[in-house]
Amino acid sequence: MSTLPPFANEPVLELRRAAVRAQLLDGMDRVAGRLPLRVPVTIGTDERTGAELLSTDPGEPERVVAVATRATDADVAAAVDEAERGFAAWRAVTAEDRAAALIRAAAWLRERRLEIAALEVRECAKPWPEADADVCEAIDFLEYYARGAIALDAGAELLQVPGERNDMHYAPRGVAAVISPWNFPLAIPCGMTAAALATGNAVVLKPAEQSPGCALMLVQALRASGVPASAISLLPGEGDAGAALVAHPKVETIAFTGSLPVGLEINRAAGTVAPGQRHIKRVVSELGGKNCVIVDSDADLDEAVPAIVSSAFVYAGQKCSAAARALVHEAIADQLIERLAGAVRVLVVGQADQLGTDVPPVIERSAQERVDRYAALARDHGRIVARVEEVPERGWFCPPTVAVDLPRDSPVLGEEIFGPLLAVDRVAGVEDACDIVDGLPYALTGGLFARDPATVRYVSERSPVGNLYVNRGITGAMVGRQPFGGNRLSGTGSKAGGPDYLRQFVEPRVVTENTMRHGLVV
Ligand SMILES: NC(=O)c1ccc[n+]([C@@H]2O[C@H](COP(=O)([O-])OP(=O)(O)OC[C@H]3O[C@@H](n4cnc5c(N)ncnc54)[C@H](O)[C@@H]3O)[C@@H](O)[C@H]2O)c1
């Protein structure tokens, strides 16, 4: 039996306190002295160097944050072999002892939370509150899955009848490939890795090419806390390293978070059974979104305006849960558009390390170009009602923009832009809004502002999204409180940070024993 206290979310820092802000700046000073970090390919205890991959500060692209080794196909093969060996030992560790290691890793991160948040500010231009929340979420995943794995290890209750004993338990699957994005550079790789390890699998982690430094922190935390080196290897690299990992016949489970095109490619590649392969790979994929907030005519606009603005523009719209469209009842559309435009015009676009910044730069040049392309389309096909042109010169900044009057078939309204561009559509009513949401291929998050409980019920029933938020912002899911993940083309997974997630990393086994005595063999 577990003696762990019940799970509780890690509290975020109180950034309004001057003393806390001073601590953050100290944390940044300590990190600055250590940059650039070296991130070798790390397979068991073997650290390999080779061709380099640089991660740079999106706000100061000349600043190198990490120098990583680019994993080769040979590294991928060696890492999977090591994980196969590591799996044999790690699966034999009890669920309680595996959980204890994850909880020590949570403590390791907690002790270093300021420095790790500072690294996220540098490597991914996460503003301080977002960086701090990401570290807290990583800690939450470790704590939550540690407890969940102990509970899962107890097995499931089955119907028992006289003369027969039925037992159902869950066994780890084997080698898990974890492939992560950069936008939650610690929490997302941590969640997928912690779930796989907690249930007894061995992990090969391929983090995003933009954030190898943050991934190194995770691997250090796990190894310093008793996870054997052979059970967690690190392969920095680009998409080709991820693809080689997915194709490897000894990989049993692939936990992927990232874009739809890559997710589809991984699902396709994972369906190929290599000669000699004796299992079907399981793919857990958490993908993109085109998230809509519906605003009914009776909505409280004092609540709706700040919530929509923060959902669309915090972290420059680079959260998978970010608001991309507002579907507004025509009776209040002019009023809402005017107020949204006013709120957006005063957003502060600036460097992530400045505490007053609302909108930091986007992750890289290609992201800036993509957002600019969609902004130009929005200008050509519709009307721009707010745009903050004053942005710093250096860094991958994009002006926060609100566009209206776009034709319903505009790519701006259907495709994931992943940047600070919000489109507002007028709708005839909530039913029309629900039809629009229902017509989208993505179904990740959504929002509703309305006062009538019947409207809330109607939208909840019709909404296909994985996470619907009512009368609040649509980002910031908390582990254990808002299990997170999308439907339709937004993912195959069953909710990170929720009660079903760990089952994807295990296989159920049932043993049925005839317990009638037939005499003893002597
Ligand atoms: N649903 C969610 O929970 C969630 C959370 C965060 C981000 N996202 C999505 O992630 C995207 C942004 O992240 P990104 O730009 O890092 O995504 P991405 O798909 O470009 O990359 C994600 C990871 O996949 C790797 N990769 C690229 N090509 C590959 C291939 N062919 N085979 C295997 N691996 C490959 C990358 O190197 C990286 O590690 C957005 O679409 C966003 O909506 C979704």
Side-chain angles (χ1 to χ4, degrees), residues 179-184 188 206-210 237-244 246 256-263 265-266 285-289 318-321 363-364 416 418 442 444 484-486 490:
I179 303 175
S180 56
W182 50 267
N183 65 334
F184 290 84
I188 289 183
K206 206 304 278 176
E209 48 274 35
Q210 298 88 347
E238 297 202 60
D240 57 331
V246 168
F256 170 75
T257 306
S259 61
L260 173 62
V262 174
E265 171 58 24
I266 288 176
S285 32
E286 313 283 347
L287 309 174
Q318 300 173 109
K319 293 185 181 187
C320 48
S321 53
I363 189 74
E364 59 197 355
E416 186 182 48
F418 222 56
Y442 289 111
L444 187 48
F484 185 80
S490 290

Side-chain angles (χ1 to χ4, degrees), residues 6-365:
F7 171 77
N9 295 112
E10 186 68 16
V12 293
L13 291 176
E14 289 192 69
L15 295 180
R16 65 194 167 82
R17 294 187 188 280
V20 175
R21 294 199 298 271
Q23 284 171 6
L24 289 180
L25 299 181
D26 285 349
M28 180 58 89
D29 285 345
R30 287 195 293 279
V31 166
R34 298 212 304 265
L35 299 185
L37 295 181
R38 300 267 152 196
V39 189
V41 162
T42 308
I43 301 170
T45 51
D46 185 17
E47 293 192 353
R48 303 180 171 192
T49 49
E52 287 181 349
L53 177 73
L54 301 184
S55 85
T56 56
D57 181 344
E60 183 56 72
E62 301 295 303
R63 180 188 282 139
V64 177
V65 180
V67 181
T69 307
R70 216 176 260 273
T72 61
D73 284 358
D75 294 331
V76 171
V80 175
D81 284 346
E82 183 70 21
E84 198 185 24
R85 284 190 289 275
F87 173 55
W90 182 241
R91 72 176 310 176
V93 173
T94 64
E96 279 79 6
D97 287 348
R98 291 195 303 254
L102 296 199
I103 284 173
R104 286 192 296 274
W108 193 98
L109 295 177
R110 206 176 276 121
E111 265 168 43
R112 294 159 183 79
R113 64 186 287 174
L114 298 171
E115 292 84 349
I116 298 171
L119 180 62
E120 295 197 16
V121 170
R122 281 284 169 263
E123 193 166 50
C124 297
K126 280 240 161 195
W128 281 115
E130 300 297 312
D132 175 52
D134 190 60
V135 180
C136 289
E137 190 177 2
I139 292 170
D140 283 354
F141 278 132
L142 289 161
E143 295 271 356
Y144 184 83
Y145 292 145
R147 286 163 175 78
I150 292 173
L152 194 66
D153 191 57
E157 289 286 323
L158 298 178
L159 189 65
Q160 308 291 344
V161 296
E164 175 182 283
R165 185 161 49 232
N166 296 307
D167 170 63
M168 176 154 163
H169 66 282
Y170 297 98
R173 290 172 55 82
V175 177
V178 172
I179 303 175
S180 56
W182 50 267
N183 65 334
F184 290 84
L186 185 70
I188 289 183
C190 181
M192 295 189 286
T193 301
L197 287 174
T199 44
N201 302 277
V203 171
V204 179
L205 168 61
K206 206 304 278 176
E209 48 274 35
Q210 298 88 347
S211 55
C214 292
L216 178 67
M217 296 298 107
L218 170 62
V219 173
Q220 287 183 348
L222 292 166
R223 289 178 165 209
S225 306
V227 176
S230 57
I232 171 71
S233 290
L234 176 63
L235 296 180
E238 297 202 60
D240 57 331
L245 199 49
V246 168
H248 198 294
K250 286 183 186 162
V251 167
E252 297 261 354
T253 308
I254 298 149
F256 170 75
T257 306
S259 61
L260 173 62
V262 174
L264 292 179
E265 171 58 24
I266 288 176
N267 272 281
R268 193 197 57 71
T272 303
V273 176
Q277 182 182 322
R278 292 173 306 164
H279 59 275
I280 297 169
K281 294 176 187 174
R282 179 177 294 168
V283 184
V284 179
S285 32
E286 313 283 347
L287 309 174
K290 187 73 184 176
N291 309 310
C292 301
V293 180
I294 300 171
V295 188
D296 198 8
S297 55
D298 65 352
D300 178 348
L301 299 192
D302 289 343
E303 204 167 54
V305 171
I308 294 171
V309 170
S310 74
S311 301
F313 296 102
V314 163
Y315 196 35
Q318 300 173 109
K319 293 185 181 187
C320 48
S321 53
R325 286 176 80 173
L327 307 174
V328 184
H329 194 293
E330 58 197 6
I332 52 146
D334 287 338
Q335 198 187 348
L336 185 83
I337 289 167
E338 192 187 332
R339 291 183 62 176
L340 274 178
V344 168
R345 278 188 214 110
V346 296
L347 288 174
V348 177
V349 182
Q351 295 292 353
D353 60 6
Q354 301 297 305
L355 278 153
T357 288
D358 294 312
V359 185
V362 295
I363 189 74
E364 59 197 355
R365 184 197 296 275

Side-chain angles (χ1 to χ4, degrees), residues 31 45 231 280 304 372 377 391 411 465 474:
V31 166
T45 51
I280 297 169
D372 283 350
L377 268 184
V391 306
V465 300
I474 68 166

